[in-house]
Structure formats: structure tokens, C-alpha cells
Amino acid sequence: MMTHVTPRSKANAHQVNMWRKELKAGLSSLKKSFLAKADCKSLFKRHCALMDQVLTNIWGELKIDAGCCLIAVGGYGRGELYPHSDIDLLILLPDSQQEDSPLNQKIEVLIGLLWNLGLHVGHSVRTLAECMEETAKDITVQTNLLESRLLTGDLPLYQHYRLALQHTMDAKVFFAAKIKEQGQRHAKFNDSAHNLEPNIKESPGGLRDLHTILWLTQGLNLHSDSGNIWADLTRQHIITLQEARLIRQHERKLQQLRIHLHIISGRREDRLLFDFQNQLASILGYRNTPRRSASEQLMQDYYRSVKFICLFNDILLKLLQTRLTTEPVQIRSINADFESRNHLLEVKSHLLFQQRPSAILEAFLLLQQHTELEGMGAMLLRSMQWAKSLINRDFRQDPQNKKCFLQILSQPQHIHHVMRAMNRYDILGRYIPAFGKIIGQMQHDLFHVYTVDEHILHVLANLRRFSKPELKHEFPLCSRLFSAFDSPHLLYLAALFHDIAKGRGGDHSTLGTLDALRFCLHHGLAKEDAALVAWLVESHLKMSSTAQKSDLSDPSVIETFANYVQNERRLNALYLLTVADIRGTSPAVWNAWKARLLESLYDATLHAIQTPDFHAKCIIAARIQEASEKLDRFGLSPHSYQQLWQQFGDHYFSRYESDEIAWQSRLLTPHLNTAKPIVRARLSPHGDGIQVMIYSKDQNDLFARICNFFDRMGYSIVEAKIYTTQHHYALDSFLILDQSGKSVSYNGLLKFIESELSKKLGADSPLENPLQGRMNRQVKLMPIPTQVQLSEESDYHHKLDIIAGDRPGLLATLAQQLLKHDIALHNAKINTLGNRAEDSFLISARNNQKLQTSCIQSLYEALIAEI
């Protein structure tokens, strides 16, 4: 409870002011000293000493009864106090304490005074009995109280409290609870230490994982009063001196980062946000290079540290677990070199990997083949760490090892699990050196939320999901195609190599293709299979780019893509890899619209591949036939809509699908020469947003007005088909998505769009300025260089491709620039990947004339300046 200090207990205003100045000067000195020499141990010691002195002085000044204790707990209790950490305190009262005692009023004054001094205090006031009661109910309280130091007060009461804590400690229960707690904490971060803005304290591999080892060691009574847990574990022969040094080295690196974060943010900030990464990198001496920024180097070092901490957290938890086991160890021999110990794979000799390095890969294969195994044992993992340097060129040339690696990829189960374990234990990057270079590598493209290696493993996981019959409802087509694919290991190889060349400079698809082909031939794959893997790596962006940037209703697009793919096996493999890849970038990137685009492209391409003598005219004839049949079911005879179709022209049938043709023809047949704009909206038949049709006398600012309207509604345009009929009417179709996630009445929403947009288009009013909104924080801090590319698409049309950081009003701004340069828009594909906009437009001069060079240059300069 916060209170104001009463006159009776002020300890005079002068004294309070002195404490405030003492704190301010002390904290300032701490920060200056740390910035001059980054000594974490010294900062912790001096910070705790400063707080100890101020708190004991205040306690004494307020003359709080000697019968109770002021105890530092939590991080403050263990002597690890960061610049802006909470000051965790326990005020321990004797069990005889009365609720209405004057002591309680003094404690309220104490806490109020601490807050008034600017200290962030986390406090509890309990009797000894209440402490024991809370520890029995809440593992967090028990953990917090384990780390305690007496600041001032009744020493016998404190000693009684420490003894009571020891007596109530059930090591087995405590151990199980902390393991569960760590698992739940990791799950909050998707069990990944490789998010682009990780939490230094709480993320997997963060400081909290080291604290967990500390707490369990205390729970098992393996610690001493030295305050150095790693020295204690060394003396207990649980870890070696070299391992203790490495753990301390990586712990110190994370502690330094966290201290710097607190100092530069001016608050308790434990997230390595983009806001601070550049500044941190500069402070720590990282410098930009031609290929990698300083912040990318910082983060890669950070990820390597948390990877090491994850590994030793795993090893130490298993070693400590053995200290608790009183039952006989269940041992079952697997072969001459390996055995199962309590369902963990173990080596029979700790020298196995040194004597026979090929057993390293064999261990992962056995983990897949023996489903009763729950993981790898501590001795095996440590032996593997000692021997992993033997994975060298000779190891990779060994036919037995090459065969074993392909066997791992060809197993029916646990492929993703084992590949992730190989990466976690630093084996995968040693066996595939190109993979080792991208471990912990950042991706500043604003839609990948993982490092490159983590993204690759997510893609592999997505492919494995397609193989599971119980998950076929998620992606029915992918499930069907995967189950029919003859060599799934080729897909896994393509996943491992598709982004492996990122960060080298140049086109990562081209460079990765060479790596993949070399690897496959080196491992004895058939030339046809090696060629498929290499082609998939080279083409892994082709299908998503075609689906999201081209007009899929244009038969020539399908024909061109089908000629590129060539056969059904390639098509199936590329579709599976593409879906897995997009879903592996970020949980927010995949949506029903992207799913529909890719499936539509797949279906159309498959039809083209399977149809002898296929050409674009086949598609158009089929569309006309299908649309006629649908209109016939609505009772419309061909005679009633023939005039409409004649005015729309032959090119109309290459721009719209049969379902759209039937919908538009049915609605517009009575309104061929309407004077007022007609707007009709419906839920997309494919379940991915709202489809809006606009039919109006053509006007130059039509697209800009429509963009402004949907911007102000909070809806994103993801696709726009712009078509001008032979009698100079605009027939435009838009697909829009709600980005807010709010619940709406679709019936009312569709009517609102039809009514309000019709008014906007029919009104003779000036064009509104584009909406201006706040730019996303990540876009500000990691700006994407705006890319504008204009290329000839046909004799009359140019393709305009724009990549930029997304922001409110971006599309409306682009639309107004097209209007200012008197440019006609024929098609638009609006693709947003996280905070990155990738938009494509098919444009020409008015009346389908070719753009002049001077206009192209002027448009280019205006777009660069405006965006």
C-alpha cells in the first residue's frame, strides 16, 4: 500500500531529501562506472550495497520494532540487482503480531516512503507461519524466498525462517514444479530462442534458464555460501572447470546486454527491441561491414550464447535429475555402443564419439528408430560436445556418414524433431557448413520473425505436418499431395537449402542452388533427384511471386508458369515447399487469401500441364461456357446478356473467372448504360474477405477515390482488377480484408459499402488527400529501402513493382501519383508481408498507349520521393 509520510514519521524533510540525493548520485556513479568498464559483478555488488545502506538507514530512522526483519529476496536477495530492477523485499513479522499493531502503520509509512523516493518496490508483509503457508501453495513464492539476505532486524527470527524453509523443501516436488514452470515459460515464446526481438531474461536460453539451475541446486542443497553456483557444481563434479568457464562467459554476455538495456532505455526493459539493437551494437564495439550490419553481428553473437545456455540447461537438468532418483536405473541395451537409460539414449562409453565419430550421426538415427526413447542422456550430450570438432572435411567425405544423414531424412517419423536437435546440439551446422553460417542470422525484411536457421526449421516442421493423417484437415490439398509424393526426403533437402545462402550478397536462390546441387551429388542422389532439389531451391519464390503479383485470371500467366514448371512432379513439390515456406515466415503472414491464390495457381497449372496442346484460348472458351451455364441456372438466356458481353469486349474474358463473369453479368445486364455508379459487395466465394464490384462511367480518379474510401474504413485492398469496356465504362473488382479483427455484421457491412461508396463515386467533390497514420515502430527502426521497378510487360503495358515499408495511406498515395502522371491502371496485386508492402501494377498511358520514357522517369522519381 502506498501512503504519504506522516509528519510524525518524516524523519524530517531534510533527511528524505538526503536519501533521494544519495540514491541519485549512487545510481549515476554506478552507470558511469559500468559504461567505463563493463564489470557486471562490480555493478551488482555496488548496487546492492547502495540499496542495503539506504534501506537500513530508513528502517532505523523510522524506529521499526526490532522484533521483525527486513529481508532482501528474489534477484536483490541473490545479489543480482540490475539498474532498473524491482527491489524485492520481505518484511517478516513474528507470529504473535496483531493486525492493529502500531508496527503495521510504520510499515505502511516505510513502503510509501520507498515509493516516494522513486524505488520500484515489490514487497510482502508476512508472519513466519504465513510464509510457510504461501510456499506450500505457490512455487513462485517458494523460489523467491529461497534467495534471501537479512538486511536488518531480528537475526534469530531470520535464522528460524531459513530453517523452516529448509524443512518444508520437498526436493522432488520442487524439481518437478520448476521443470513444468520452465516448459510453460518457453511455450510463451513458441519454444524458440531465435525471435528477432527476444527477451534476454525470459526467452529460452535466457538468464531465467540459468536461474532455474541455481534454484534447483539450492533445492537439492548442492550450493555453498560462496555465491558462485558454477564453482559449487564444479566442486560437486557435476560440471568440469572448462564447462563452468564457458557457462560463466555466456552468462556474463547476457548480463552485460541486460544492464546496457536498462541504462539506455531508462526503465526495466528486458527485450532486445529493434529500438535498441543499433545503439547496443555501437556501445559494445560492433561495426558495420559491407555484408552485415553491426546489429546483425550483435544479435548473431547473442543467439550463439542462448544456444549454448539452452544446451547446458538441458544437460544440467538431466544431471540434477539423477541426484533425485532413488529407484534402480532402467537400462536396456540397444546395440554394442548405445543403451537406453530411463528412456534416454546413452553411450556405453564416454569415449565412443572420440574413438568412432560416425556414431554421432548414428545417435540421431537411433533416436528416430526407437520411439520409446524420450531424448538424449546427459553423458551422451557432453561426450558429443567434446567430440563435435571431429565433424570435419574427412567426416563429411565418409560414405558411412553420408549414408546415415540421408537415412535420417528418409525415416517415417521424428525428422523435424531430430533436425532441430542436431541444430540445438551444434551438429547440423558442422555437417553442412553453409548451414552453420546462417545460424542466428537476422532477417530485417519485416515479415520473417525468426532467424534464418529457425525459419528453415519451421519450414521443415510445416512439411512434416503435411505427412500426418490426423492433421489433414488443416491443408487437405497439401496432405493429399504429400502422401502421394514418392521421395519426401527431397522436399526436406530443399527446405534445408532454400535460404541457406542468405547474407552472402547476391541472389540467395542462385547461390543456394549451387550448394544444394553439390550436396546432393556428393551424397550420391540420382541426377534427376539432385536436379529437382536444386530447381526447388532456385524456384522457391517463383510460385508465391506469380500468385501474389500476377493476374491469375489472365490465361497467358498460367501458360507461362506451366511452361516454367514443365511437369506435375515439379508442380507438386514446388506447391508443398511454397506453402510450408510462407507459413514458416511468421504466424501473421499466412491467410485465406494467400491460400486461395496458391491453390488457384496450382489447379490452373495442373490443368495446363495435363491438357495436350494447351493454350490460352482453351481457358477462355471454358470460362465462357461455364459462365453461360451458371447464368442459365438463373433463368437468363444468352440473348439477354449478349449485348453486355459485346460491349465488354473479348479481353474481358481473359480478365475475370467464370464465377465473376456470371455474377457481374447477372447484376449489370439491366444497367449497361447506367448514369449512376453501381457498387455491389459480397463475401468472397472462396471465404477470403469481401469482393466489391464497381461499374461506372470511366473517370481518371476512380482508383484513387476507391483506395481512399477503403483506407478510411480500415480495410486493406489485396487485389484490384481494373477493366475498361469498349463503351468507356469502368468495371473494377476489389478484394478487401479487414485488418482489425473486429466482429461485424456482414449483412450491414455489405450494404454500407454499396451505399457509401456509390455516394463517394457519384459526388462531384475534390479528391481527398491520402490518410496519414502512424508508421509501425519496426518500419521506423528497420526501414526497407524503397524499390521501384518499371519493366515492359507487352507492347502497350508496363509492370510497376514497388517494395516499401507498409504504412497507412500507402496505396492511396500511389494511386494519386498514377493519377497525377495521367497513367491508366489495368491490374493491381497488393501484397502485405508483415510490415512490408510488395505491390504490383499493370499500367499504360491513357487509351492503352505505351508509356514514354520521359513519363517513366518522372513517375519513378515521384514515387521514390513520395514513398
Side-chain angles (χ1 to χ4, degrees):
M1 174 169 47
M2 292 181 59
T3 65
H4 293 290
V5 183
T6 63
R8 179 176 52 83
S9 57
K10 270 186 178 178
N12 75 57
H14 174 71
Q15 182 64 62
V16 173
N17 194 40
M18 290 296 294
W19 286 327
R20 187 175 286 112
K21 286 182 177 179
E22 180 182 355
L23 280 170
K24 185 177 180 180
L27 292 173
S28 177
S29 173
L30 285 174
K31 292 174 184 178
K32 286 179 182 177
S33 298
F34 182 79
L35 292 175
K37 182 183 178 183
D39 187 337
C40 303
K41 189 174 181 181
S42 173
L43 180 135
F44 293 148
K45 184 177 180 180
R46 291 178 59 196
H47 195 187
C48 287
L50 174 66
M51 291 302 161
D52 291 356
Q53 181 178 339
V54 171
L55 289 169
T56 52
N57 285 346
I58 294 173
W59 182 275
E61 190 69 30
L62 295 179
K63 296 181 173 55
I64 297 178
D65 294 22
C68 57
C69 301
L70 181 64
I71 302 171
V73 294
Y76 180 32
R78 69 172 174 269
E80 190 176 323
L81 193 58
Y82 290 83
H84 290 280
S85 289
D86 286 351
I87 312 298
D88 290 333
L89 298 172
L90 167 65
I91 299 173
L92 184 64
L93 307 178
D95 287 336
S96 59
Q97 180 65 32
Q98 301 296 318
E99 287 189 13
D100 58 351
S101 166
L103 175 61
N104 291 332
Q105 296 176 7
K106 290 185 178 182
I107 290 172
E108 288 182 7
V109 169
L110 168 68
I111 301 303
L113 176 56
L114 296 180
W115 278 98
N116 288 337
L117 288 172
L119 297 177
H120 295 281
V121 178
H123 73 284
S124 56
V125 182
R126 296 189 181 106
T127 64
L128 183 58
E130 288 170 340
C131 283
M132 297 307 105
E133 185 181 339
E134 287 299 316
T135 60
K137 293 190 298 186
D138 190 337
I139 189 70
T140 306
V141 173
Q142 185 176 23
T143 306
N144 203 39
L145 297 184
L146 267 181
E147 304 176 298
S148 66
R149 289 186 300 115
L150 177 65
L151 298 176
T152 185
D154 192 311
L155 178 60
L157 178 61
Y158 175 71
Q159 292 172 334
H160 191 188
Y161 151 83
R162 293 292 299 175
L163 284 172
L165 269 181
Q166 291 177 17
H167 291 150
T168 57
M169 171 63 69
D170 184 325
K172 284 187 177 182
V173 173
F174 184 72
F175 192 97
K178 297 311 291 184
I179 295 295
K180 181 180 179 182
E181 182 183 72
Q182 177 172 291
Q184 291 171 339
R185 175 169 51 81
H186 286 184
K188 291 179 181 178
F189 298 92
N190 297 317
D191 291 304
S192 173
H194 293 76
N195 297 304
L196 298 189
E197 293 184 307
N199 187 307
I200 295 178
K201 180 182 175 184
E202 301 289 348
S203 289
L207 289 165
R208 191 58 92 205
D209 281 7
L210 295 176
H211 297 157
T212 298
I213 300 299
L214 166 65
W215 297 328
L216 292 177
T217 304
Q218 290 176 323
L220 291 168
N221 202 25
L222 298 175
H223 68 297
S224 68
D225 294 330
S226 68
N228 189 337
I229 182 62
W230 313 121
D232 292 340
L233 292 176
T234 303
R235 282 191 291 271
Q236 298 276 351
H237 303 292
I238 295 174
I239 59 176
T240 66
L241 187 60
Q242 182 184 3
E243 289 169 341
R245 286 180 184 143
L246 286 171
I247 295 170
R248 185 72 189 104
Q249 174 186 322
H250 291 290
E251 178 185 39
R252 193 157 42 238
K253 186 177 291 184
L254 264 59
Q255 288 175 338
Q256 280 187 6
L257 279 172
R258 191 179 178 204
I259 291 170
H260 278 301
L261 260 181
H262 279 212
I263 291 173
I264 65 178
S265 67
R267 62 179 186 264
R268 188 185 64 179
E269 180 58 81
D270 298 327
R271 298 166 298 165
L272 268 170
L273 299 175
F274 290 147
D275 310 49
F276 309 121
Q277 289 177 14
N278 288 327
Q279 188 176 352
L280 273 171
S282 177
I283 290 171
L284 294 171
Y286 293 91
R287 296 293 178 263
N288 292 333
T289 67
R291 289 188 180 178
R292 298 174 65 218
S293 68
S295 63
E296 287 176 326
Q297 298 169 56
L298 163 73
M299 294 306 295
Q300 190 160 39
D301 281 351
Y302 165 79
Y303 293 125
R304 285 171 176 162
S305 287
V306 297
K307 185 176 181 181
F308 178 88
I309 290 171
C310 280
L311 168 65
F312 264 87
N313 174 267
D314 190 5
I315 291 173
L316 286 169
L317 288 180
K318 287 168 179 173
L319 288 170
L320 294 175
Q321 176 80 59
T322 61
R323 298 287 179 129
L324 282 172
T325 304
T326 55
E327 299 172 1
V329 179
Q330 299 178 30
I331 302 176
R332 185 179 65 79
S333 180
I334 292 176
N335 60 26
D337 295 318
F338 294 93
E339 63 189 11
S340 168
R341 284 178 167 262
N342 288 341
H343 305 294
L344 294 176
L345 183 66
E346 273 292 8
V347 288
K348 291 183 177 179
S349 166
H350 68 275
L351 297 176
L352 171 65
F353 297 139
Q354 299 279 352
Q355 296 168 347
R356 190 167 69 84
S358 60
I360 292 175
L361 291 183
E362 183 187 349
F364 291 100
L365 182 61
L366 290 173
L367 199 60
Q368 290 176 293
Q369 293 174 337
H370 293 265
T371 56
E372 74 280 4
L373 292 172
E374 297 172 359
M376 292 179 164
M379 186 168 75
L380 183 149
L381 289 176
R382 296 174 85 180
S383 300
M384 188 180 288
Q385 295 310 300
W386 296 333
K388 66 185 180 183
S389 60
L390 298 176
I391 304 177
N392 51 24
R393 188 174 184 277
D394 291 340
F395 183 99
R396 292 186 285 271
Q397 294 286 350
D398 190 327
Q400 182 182 351
N401 294 332
K402 291 189 278 189
K403 179 183 177 182
C404 188
F405 187 79
L406 290 181
Q407 281 183 298
I408 289 171
L409 287 179
S410 302
Q411 293 301 302
Q413 57 197 1
H414 301 319
I415 292 168
H416 167 249
H417 173 73
V418 161
M419 283 291 125
R420 188 168 284 280
M422 289 179 72
N423 187 42
R424 183 165 63 248
Y425 301 143
D426 203 21
I427 302 302
L428 187 58
R430 290 177 179 269
Y431 188 73
I432 307 177
F435 190 92
K437 293 177 182 177
I438 51 91
I439 291 173
Q441 183 172 309
M442 297 278 283
Q443 302 189 80
H444 288 154
D445 53 20
L446 296 181
F447 65 93
H448 283 90
V449 298
Y450 307 111
T451 57
V452 180
D453 60 315
E454 187 71 12
H455 163 67
I456 286 174
L457 293 173
H458 274 277
V459 174
L460 190 62
N462 290 334
L463 286 171
R464 288 299 299 159
R465 289 184 76 84
F466 301 154
S467 72
K468 301 179 185 298
E470 66 271 22
L471 299 176
K472 64 182 180 181
H473 62 281
E474 291 183 346
F475 295 91
L477 177 58
C478 290
S479 180
R480 178 168 59 82
L481 294 178
F482 192 94
S483 63
F485 197 78
D486 54 357
S487 304
H489 67 285
L490 302 181
L491 298 176
Y492 305 145
L493 281 169
L496 284 174
F497 280 89
H498 81 284
D499 276 353
I500 207 166
K502 281 194 169 180
R504 294 189 208 168
D507 185 343
H508 78 278
S509 299
T510 303
L511 296 172
T513 299
L514 298 175
D515 289 345
L517 185 60
R518 191 182 302 116
F519 183 90
C520 291
L521 294 176
H522 179 68
H523 280 69
L525 267 68
K527 287 186 177 180
E528 180 184 351
D529 289 344
L532 175 62
V533 173
W535 180 83
L536 286 170
V537 174
E538 181 181 29
S539 309
H540 74 273
L541 298 174
K542 182 72 173 180
M543 193 169 195
S544 61
S545 176
T546 301
Q548 297 176 53
K549 295 186 177 183
S550 300
D551 182 4
L552 300 186
S553 60
D554 185 347
S556 65
V557 170
I558 304 303
E559 189 173 11
T560 301
F561 186 71
N563 290 335
Y564 179 84
V565 174
Q566 296 183 357
N567 60 59
E568 188 173 343
R569 188 176 191 236
R570 277 185 167 191
L571 176 64
N572 291 346
L574 184 58
Y575 176 73
L576 289 167
L577 179 61
T578 302
V579 175
D581 188 18
I582 296 176
R583 290 188 66 234
T585 58
S586 160
V589 166
W590 183 260
N591 57 31
W593 176 66
K594 289 184 175 69
R596 195 262 296 177
L597 284 179
L598 288 171
E599 193 163 336
S600 296
L601 178 56
Y602 173 84
D603 290 338
T605 307
L606 181 63
H607 175 71
I609 290 172
Q610 292 178 339
T611 303
D613 302 321
F614 173 85
H615 51 81
K617 290 181 180 178
C618 299
I619 295 180
I620 292 175
R623 277 182 191 165
I624 293 173
Q625 179 64 30
E626 289 173 9
S628 298
E629 291 172 358
K630 290 176 181 178
L631 289 167
D632 183 58
R633 288 198 288 273
F634 280 101
L636 291 174
S637 65
H639 173 74
S640 62
Y641 52 81
Q642 280 307 315
Q643 185 182 3
L644 185 83
W645 283 8
Q646 286 171 7
Q647 292 288 0
F648 284 2
D650 293 339
H651 190 52
Y652 168 66
F653 299 100
S654 67
R655 298 301 311 282
Y656 289 98
E657 302 284 351
S658 60
D659 175 74
E660 294 173 304
I661 293 169
W663 181 51
Q664 293 166 358
S665 300
R666 181 166 58 87
L667 294 173
L668 298 178
T669 292
H671 307 289
L672 179 59
N673 297 304
T674 179
K676 294 182 179 181
I678 292 176
V679 178
R680 294 292 180 267
R682 66 174 180 173
L683 295 180
S684 170
H686 305 284
D688 50 351
I690 296 172
Q691 188 175 21
V692 182
M693 177 193 73
I694 295 102
Y695 183 67
S696 168
K697 285 183 178 179
D698 199 16
Q699 57 190 73
N700 292 346
D701 64 356
L702 189 64
F703 182 65
R705 288 181 180 274
I706 293 168
C707 290
N708 268 333
F709 175 79
F710 288 124
D711 249 354
R712 283 167 166 73
M713 275 190 67
Y715 276 70
S716 293
I717 298 170
V718 293
E719 184 177 58
K721 293 181 183 180
I722 313 298
Y723 183 72
T724 305
T725 69
Q726 291 184 352
H727 67 314
H728 305 295
Y729 271 70
L731 175 55
D732 301 344
S733 177
F734 290 80
L735 184 66
I736 62 172
L737 297 178
D738 178 12
Q739 299 301 318
S740 69
K742 57 182 179 289
S743 178
V744 298
S745 165
Y746 277 108
N747 188 43
L749 177 62
L750 300 181
K751 289 179 179 177
F752 174 84
I753 291 171
E754 291 175 350
S755 170
E756 294 304 310
L757 183 52
S758 297
K759 292 177 185 176
K760 286 283 184 185
L761 300 181
D764 185 17
S765 57
L767 180 63
E768 295 174 298
N769 289 326
L771 187 68
Q772 297 297 317
R774 293 183 64 186
M775 187 179 288
N776 181 278
R777 174 181 63 86
Q778 293 185 351
V779 176
K780 283 183 181 178
L781 296 164
M782 298 292 177
I784 296 175
T786 299
Q787 300 175 42
V788 176
Q789 184 176 354
L790 281 148
S791 56
E792 287 194 28
E793 189 77 1
S794 66
D795 291 341
Y796 303 105
H797 298 148
H798 278 76
K799 188 178 181 185
L800 169 62
D801 289 307
I802 294 175
I803 297 176
D806 193 26
R807 60 178 171 83
L810 176 64
L811 187 57
T813 300
L814 296 174
Q816 294 207 8
Q817 286 302 318
L818 296 179
L819 178 63
K820 287 178 182 177
H821 288 78
D822 203 28
I823 286 172
L825 177 65
H826 302 279
N827 193 65
K829 278 291 187 75
I830 315 303
N831 186 26
T832 304
L833 302 167
N835 294 309
R836 174 188 176 104
E838 295 189 2
D839 301 342
S840 294
F841 307 89
L842 191 66
I843 60 176
S844 71
R846 294 293 171 191
N847 301 318
N848 252 350
Q849 297 299 305
K850 188 173 183 178
L851 289 170
Q852 298 299 311
T853 304
S854 58
C855 181
I856 292 173
Q857 184 62 29
S858 175
L859 175 64
Y860 175 84
E861 292 173 357
L863 290 174
I864 290 290
E866 192 68 31
I867 301 174

